[in-house]
Each structure stands twice: as C-alpha cells, then as structure tokens.
Amino acid sequence: MKAIRRLTVRPVLPEPLRPLSDLARNLRWSWHAETRDLFRSVDPECWAASGRDPVRLLGAVPAERLGELAEDRRFVRRLAAAADDLDHYMTGDRWYQTQSRAQAQAQSAGLPAAVAYFSPEFGITAALPQYSGGLGILAGDHLKAASDLGVPLIGVGLLYRHGYFRQSLSRDGWQQEHYPVLDPDELPLTLLKETDGTPAQVHLALPGGKELRARLWLAQVGRVPLLLLDSDVEENDLGERGVTDRLYGGGSEHRLLQEMLLGIGGVRAVRTYCRLTGHAEPEVFHTNEGHAGFLGLERIAELCDRGSEFEPALEAVRAGTVFTTHTPVPAGIDRFDRQLVARHFGPGAELPRIDVERVLRLGMETYPGGEPNLFNMAVMGLRLAQRANGVSLLHGGVSREMFSGLWPGFDADEVPITSVTNGVHAPTWVAPEVFRLGARQIGVQRTEDALTVGGSDRWDSVADIPDEDIWELRRTLREQLVTEVRERLRASWRQRGAGTAELGWIDGVLDPDVLTIGFARRVPSYKRLTLMLRDRDRLTDLLLHPERPVQIVVAGKAHPADDGGKRLIQELVRFADDPRVRHRVVFLPDYGMAMAQRLYPGCDIWLNNPLRPLEACGTSGMKAALNGCLNVSVLDGWWDEWFRPDFGWAIPTADGAGTDPDRRDDIEAAALYDLLEQRITPRFYERGPSGLPDRWIEMVRRTLSLLGPKVLAGRMVREYVERLYAPAAAAHRAMDPDAARGLAEWKSRVRAAWPGVSVDHVETGTATATAELGSTLSLRVRVDLGELAPDDVEVQAVSGRVDSEDRITEATAVPLKPVGGPDLEGRWAYEGPLALDRTGTFGYTVRILPAHPLLASGAELGLVAVPSDELVEAAGLLMR
C-alpha cells in the first residue's frame, strides 16, 4: 500500500544533546573530521545506514540511545568541545579579517563588505545532491574555502527537487537514469522565514499575467550562507512548480525560466536575506558561468526604480560584477531564441520598466560569425561585467580567442579576460589518513593551516616524512579502495540482475599491491573515456602483465540526452565485463562526491586524456594529487600550467589542425601505452636498496610538496579577492550616480565621435632598417581626434617581435605624450621614446584607445584606431 503523504518525524533531543542539531545543520561537518567522528559515535550502524548524513542520523537514532548519550558525561564533554570549536570558527577572525584591518590601517580602498556568488549548481556534500559535475564541485569548494578564509560570501543557487540523476546500468551496460525525489525537510536546510513566521518568497512575473513564486532555503556552509530558491510551492501552477524540478533538464523555455529565477530571483533572494538577517549588502556580484547572467538586469532595474537612466545603471552594475567562464567551446554555452527571451521581458512580463530591445542587445551575437537570432548567456555575462576570467592560464587564452569578436580591432591576447586557475578544497578531498600523517609530522593546527591557507613552508615538511611511512600510507589507501570497489561492483551487478551465485568472482577484483589507475569524470565525447580501448590487445597485455600489471577503476555519467556518451560507457562496460580482464578493470556507476572521496586517494595514477585544449581546468587531478596520486595527462587545463616531469607525466598530443581525428586518437593512445609500458610501470615496481620503490616515493613526495600549495581552493579564493573582488568593490564605490551618469555620457560621446579618430603620420629619428640592442628611437606621431580631446584618448606605441606575417608578438604598449596641437587642420602631435629591448625582427605600430579613469581596460569599449595600410607601408614599421 502506497502512502499519500510523507512526513519526517524527528526525535526531541534531550537538553544536553541540543548542540547536535546546530552541528548537523552547519555543513562544516562535511569537511571537519572531528565533528564527523562525533556523529559516528552517536550510533555507528545508524551513521552508516544514513549515508553519513547527520540530519538523517538524528532522524533515525532510537530515543533510548539518545537518552544514554545524554547521561554519558564523556560524550557530553566531546559535544560541548565540538560546539565551542564551531562557535570559534564562526566568529573568530580569519585571513580576510586580518587583510581588511591591514588595508584599513594603510587607508586603502578596502575589501568588499560582502560578495554574492551565483552558480546553477553547488557540490557541498553528498548529503545535499545539487550538483552534476566539475562546475558544481568547484562552486562548493569556492564556498568552503571562502568560509575557511573568512570571506563574507553569500552563495545563491536553485534547489532541485530531483537533483541530478542517479545512474545505474542495464544488463548490457546501457546507462539508466533515476530521479529520486528530495524532501527539503530531510536535507541539511532551514526555511528562511519573514518576521511574522511565514516563509520568505520571491516572485517573478510571467507572460499572460502569471507569476512564478519561489521560497528560500538556507544551507549554512561554515560561515557562508547558501540561498537555494525552490519553485515547488502550493501557490504556483503545476508548470511553475516544476521549474526547479531537476538540474539541466527540460527544453529551452524551462532552462530560460530556471536561469531567470537564478539571476533575477537570486538578487531578490539576497535582498530578502540581508533584510531579515542584517547581513551586509554585497558590493560585488560574481556569476559562475552565464546561467546567472540575468542578475545584472535585475540590478539595473533596481537602479532604474531609484531614478537612474538605463545607461548609467548599466555602468554602475558593470563596475561591481565579476564573470567567470568555464567553457572552452561555444557549444557549451546556453543560447536562447531571441523571440523566446523577448516574450519573457518587458510589459506584461518581467522587468517591464526596461525596454526589451535593450535586454536583447546585451545578449545578441552581434559580431562576425555570430547567430543574429540567438541570445547568448555568456555574451550577456561579459557585457554586464567589468571583470571576467577563465579558470586556468590556458583556458584564459582560449576564452580570449573565443570571445574576441566582442572586442573588434584587438588581438586576442588583449581581450580583457584574465584567468584564475581553479583550486580544490583540501579538507574535503584529503583522506583522513593523509591528514593524520601530516599532523604527526607538523601538528594538527599547522596541517589545517597548510590545507586551508596554504604556504609552501608548511608543505616543505613533506620532505622529512620517511619513505616507509609514505609507502605504507599509499598501500593503506589502495587497500581501502579495493574494498570500496568490490562493494560497489557487487551492488551494481545486483542492479543489473545478477544473482549471488554469479558474483563469487568479485572477491578477486583488484589487488592492493597492483598499480592502480583512476579515470572518473563526466562523459562528453571530448574527454575520451574510451581512448584507453584503442588497442585492446595492448591494453590487455598491460592489465595482465605477469610482473608489472596495472588495474583501472573508471566512473562517470553521460548527460541523459547524450546517447553518444552512453555508447562510450557501454563500450567500456562491455570490455570490463570480459572474464579475462574483469578482475583488473571495473566501471563503477553513479559517480558522485561520496565515491570520489575514496577513489582519488586510493589510486596511484590519475588519468586525463581530453582533446586539447577543450579541458577548461580539470580539477579531479588536483584532488588526486593532494593524496599523493601522480597525474598522467594531456597538457590541458591546469596540467598545462603546472606539469613538471619530477611529479608526473604528460601524454604527447597530435592536435595539429590537419590531423585526422581517428589518426590523432591512435597516436595519442599509443603514446599513453608507451608511457605505461616504458616509464610508469617500471618505476612503480622497481625496488631500491631498502626494498621500497624509492623513485616512485620521491615523485609522491614532490607531488605533495610542490603541487600541494598550488592546487588549493584557498589559493584560488585569495586570488579572486585580491585580483577581482577588491578592484570590483573599489570600482563599485567610485561609481556613484554622478560618476555613472558621467561615464555613460562619455562613452556615448566617444562612440559617436570615433569614426573621426585616425593616425595620420608616424616618423622616427632614423631611416635605417637596422638598429642596435639597447638603443632608443624617438617617435613622433600626428593624430586626428575629430571631436574628441587628448583627455578622451591614449595614444600608444606598441612594439615587440614580429612573426612571418608581420604581426607583433609579446607586445609592449607605451603611452606617448601630447606635445602640441591642434594645428590648423585640427591634428595633434604626440611624442615618446621607443626602446629597442630585444634582438631579431622587431616591429612597432601606433594606436589610439579611448581613455577614462573609470575604465578597467583600454579595450573595454572595443574601439581602436591604427595606421592605415598605406601609412604602414610608407612608414616601414619594421626593423631587422
């Protein structure tokens, strides 16, 4: 018989145990081992059965057991200590507070009072399944690191009632999707309420006079509040209730409504939260990918409601907005039909006080190669943010190239998109055994500081850990993974329809003394799940080598609509089902945080073989590295930036433009096999005089000491604070209504006058085509500024080496100074020295850019004037 309604009945905690509720509701437990140990001791069996979720644990533990614990003075003392520790963590000064005081003493502009961080998904813990992959895990790690550092962040996302799908396999290895219903009352969430006790809500207007309502759930992520908007409320019609049904589900209109709720509704949720709690209003808004881009429109509308015109409001909003792009390909960006977007804005819909055409212009692909009828969320994100970044050094370059059409006239390397390389939250991803080894070496507090704040001095102590301790640790972690894999594999085969009598072979799957390779990620085609299968005979020989075998653990989910990805999984599963190799290669379904936290530490090698340069960052290898796992990867994402041969291997690539895709995959797979056969397996299995693989252990040691401080989310968040949040806050404060109005009027005037701006004449003090290193040319330029004045522009000399097509590379720009004008023809003279500071073919040119104190970049307007081809030819702007 099926229940018509489901309720959660919680026991009443005895008074001495009341702090357990606060500890369970703050997700710091998900990365704080001592708190988790406390909950485990409440009832070990219930703890395991609850999926290590404190909220579910407290809802399931028998009242008799709670009564026993209330009388257990030792447990009550432990509980009081844990509660005191959480209180100190929540209220004490951390890195951000010390930085803020230092800036105040230096009388600098100061750090932002608060930052709002928007993302479509957040991977905090398996107990709150609101993530699909790397974007969400990165967002969760960003919040946790901000909490550890004391950064006053407010997270904003959606609460998906089905989360992302759960994955299983059919008997023939085809991915099956399941969408379990999540009850917010069974999650570590608190409903945000108005002062009268009613649930707080935000409303969005829909076409046809309808309304979309959402209530607000609060997840406390350490010091950081995370607001999750939930449209499953009784006041909504059935269609509107389903807006937040599942992550990345539904058609275009469904996704558009999700992104309107995230962006527009998210800003309203932040305002509601700050009003109800007294939290400081954000000075900076950070959108993690384009899904939340509509937040800028809502903030513009807020200013328009206070009397601002649209253009000044746009400038004010841009000043305090940061946009992070994660995709390296246009196909990865959400794009909507122009008419669909137009229908949801303007009179009779949302933001009626903003002209629909203004909304559309922010997202239209009005550049060469763009689709004129598509509204691009990333393009809108870039137009609404004065500061933007990619997520690795290589990805920053890829992003500048991909979006260069928004800044015509500028080379890709001058497009104003910087990069902050992702990091991972070490306390979440480092195995307890690794932490204990570090604590034994340098103490608990210094180990915690090393994992959160960083600092290479703390990581240098890895050099003093004995070889035998490192090797024992690695074997222990490998052994734990073997146990985990067998349990999950047995459960998977039962789901596939196998009976107990068929599964005896699973007891022999994997070996704790065999070199273990891990490969786990989403399964789009570019990540090449099946590259390892290109030569199955060669792979089989590696797996079954009599002296140097390898074993491989694979996991990953394909998007429900991606049949190509599902076929890749099926191909891998069918290979892993072969009785000849099934004890050496396994596929584990339902990859998620809980699995990952065992998988990363237990592997010796982390494999990554995407098509270069399509991996924006790829943080799974960072998590593995923090546990002493060595990376074997294509030089893409973060590995391109930080690879060194003393702590890993680079898979050679054949990514030339003319390479046939099949031929490229064959070449790169062969290179991977060569690495494994000739360099990796011999090093793992060779033994030094002590009987240990000392060269392998040294690579583990270098991975920890050299990569450890770099891959931390703490390092990443500090970079965001120093390079993006602090400048954005300063720009926000400078953009008062008068300044915003003045900047908007100036931009309008400059755009209108720019066709009249030109470089008329360039001359130097020499007519020769050669010069000596270290010498200086005297450069004199005559420019026509039309209706503009010298204060409106900057005239620059741009110099550097030139390639075979006379394009300047490694360019250096130096401003020239006005020395006279206007002459009778209205032209201005500029002069300046040009240092010849490098040998070889050298070139220079001159350009004019708009200049204003409130611009973050000279390229911001996408306007530039350069010499005509005739002038270049006449001036001969090359030297050899």
Side-chain angles (χ1 to χ4, degrees), residues 742-817:
L743 179 60
E745 291 171 353
W746 176 85
K747 283 187 174 183
S748 177
R749 180 169 59 84
V750 168
R751 288 190 179 105
W754 201 256
V757 176
S758 63
V759 179
D760 283 358
H761 181 73
V762 181
E763 64 181 46
T764 64
T766 177
T768 65
T770 59
E772 293 183 353
L773 179 67
S775 59
T776 300
L777 298 181
S778 178
L779 198 60
R780 184 175 179 86
V781 180
R782 191 169 64 241
V783 299
D784 188 344
L785 300 183
E787 297 178 7
L788 301 181
D791 286 347
D792 295 320
V793 302
E794 181 170 278
V795 180
Q796 297 177 341
V798 182
S799 62
R801 289 192 177 90
V802 293
D803 61 20
S804 59
E805 298 179 352
D806 291 342
R807 295 185 64 84
I808 297 174
T809 62
E810 302 173 23
T812 300
V814 178
L816 303 177
K817 295 181 179 180

Side-chain angles (χ1 to χ4, degrees), residues 468 542 556 652 770 849:
E468 54 269 26
L542 278 163
T770 59
L849 303 177

Side-chain angles (χ1 to χ4, degrees), residues 69-90:
L69 290 173
E71 300 296 325
D72 185 337
R73 285 183 293 178
R74 182 178 177 187
F75 181 85
V76 172
R77 283 197 300 270
R78 285 181 65 198
L79 175 57
D84 288 345
D85 182 73
L86 177 62
D87 180 69
H88 176 72
Y89 176 87
M90 295 291 288

Side-chain angles (χ1 to χ4, degrees), residues 595-724:
M595 182 193 297
Q597 286 171 319
R598 289 298 184 93
L599 185 54
Y600 299 133
C603 292
D604 301 293
I605 290 293
W606 196 256
L607 176 61
N608 190 29
N609 46 231
L611 288 174
R612 188 180 190 275
L614 301 184
E615 184 82 277
C617 186
T619 55
S620 62
M622 296 179 172
K623 299 160 194 163
L626 283 171
N627 290 282
C629 177
L630 309 184
N631 275 267
V632 177
S633 175
V634 166
L635 288 176
D636 201 2
W638 74 276
W639 194 238
D640 179 75
E641 193 171 336
W642 289 332
F643 160 71
R644 281 174 50 175
D646 49 354
F647 52 63
W649 294 271
I651 303 172
T653 54
D655 50 1
T659 306
D660 173 76
D662 280 338
R663 173 67 177 152
R664 175 204 58 216
D665 286 355
D666 286 340
I667 292 171
E668 295 184 14
L672 172 59
Y673 299 138
D674 288 344
L675 276 176
L676 289 168
E677 291 168 349
Q678 300 167 20
R679 297 174 60 189
I680 296 173
T681 56
R683 182 161 296 194
F684 180 85
Y685 286 104
E686 72 180 6
R687 296 296 183 265
S690 64
L692 299 174
D694 40 22
R695 290 208 301 159
W696 187 274
I697 293 170
E698 184 58 26
M699 292 186 75
V700 172
R701 199 189 307 277
R702 288 181 177 273
T703 291
L704 291 169
S705 61
L706 300 178
L707 277 181
K710 292 182 178 180
V711 302
L712 298 179
R715 183 272 312 154
M716 171 189 73
V717 171
R718 290 201 314 272
E719 285 194 38
Y720 272 108
V721 169
E722 293 163 355
R723 296 175 47 204
L724 294 169

Side-chain angles (χ1 to χ4, degrees), residues 845-865:
T845 188
V846 175
R847 68 181 179 187
I848 310 171
L849 303 177
H852 190 283
L854 294 179
L855 294 184
S857 162
E860 186 171 309
L861 274 70
L863 299 175
V864 61

Side-chain angles (χ1 to χ4, degrees), residues 349-366:
E350 192 48 70
L351 307 186
R353 59 270 200 200
I354 297 179
D355 180 64
V356 173
E357 285 303 314
R358 290 185 183 273
V359 173
L360 293 174
R361 279 200 295 271
L362 287 169
M364 302 310 292
E365 298 179 359
T366 51

